[in-house]
């Protein structure tokens, strides 16, 4: 199981993914895509990388806006897995 990060480690990790914010035991990012189909395509692409990493985000789709939330539930908080997936989500969204 992945180890929980300290508050100091979380603050440092957030510097590498500046579009993400911490909300207690999770990090989140909202993205507004150009169209609803593009938002669905982004979710599909994130689903592929999440499945490959065996680490699955919570995703909320509202028309063109998608909110991604990450936490390592099995560890009870934030781990390096969350920040690795956040970086992957950023790459997906940058390519949209």
């Amino acid at each position: 199981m992945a180890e929980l990060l300290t508050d100091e480690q979380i603050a440092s990790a957030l510097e590498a993914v500046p579009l993400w914010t911490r909300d207690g035991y999770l990090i989140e990012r909202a993205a507004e895509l150009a169209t609803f189909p593009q938002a669905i395509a982004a979710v599909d692409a994130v689903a592929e990388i999440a499945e490959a990493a065996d680490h699955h985000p919570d995703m909320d789709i509202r028309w063109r806006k998608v909110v991604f939330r990450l936490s390592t539930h099995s560890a009870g908080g934030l781990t390096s897995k969350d920040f690795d997936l956040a970086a992957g989500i950023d790459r997906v969204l940058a390519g949209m």
Side-chain angles (χ1 to χ4, degrees), residues 14-70:
L14 280 169
E15 291 176 10
V17 288
L19 298 173
W20 292 79
T21 58
R22 183 179 182 183
D23 184 8
Y25 67 95
L26 59 84
I27 57 173
E28 67 181 9
R29 177 189 173 178
E32 189 161 328
L33 289 298
T35 65
F36 180 70
Q38 192 177 42
I40 296 301
V43 167
D44 284 344
V46 168
E48 291 293 324
I49 64 170
E51 189 67 14
D54 193 28
H55 190 58
H56 305 91
D58 293 332
M59 296 183 275
D60 182 24
I61 306 167
R62 308 286 171 137
W63 187 37
R64 298 178 305 150
K65 183 178 181 182
V66 183
V67 178
F68 301 93
R69 292 182 183 89
L70 295 168

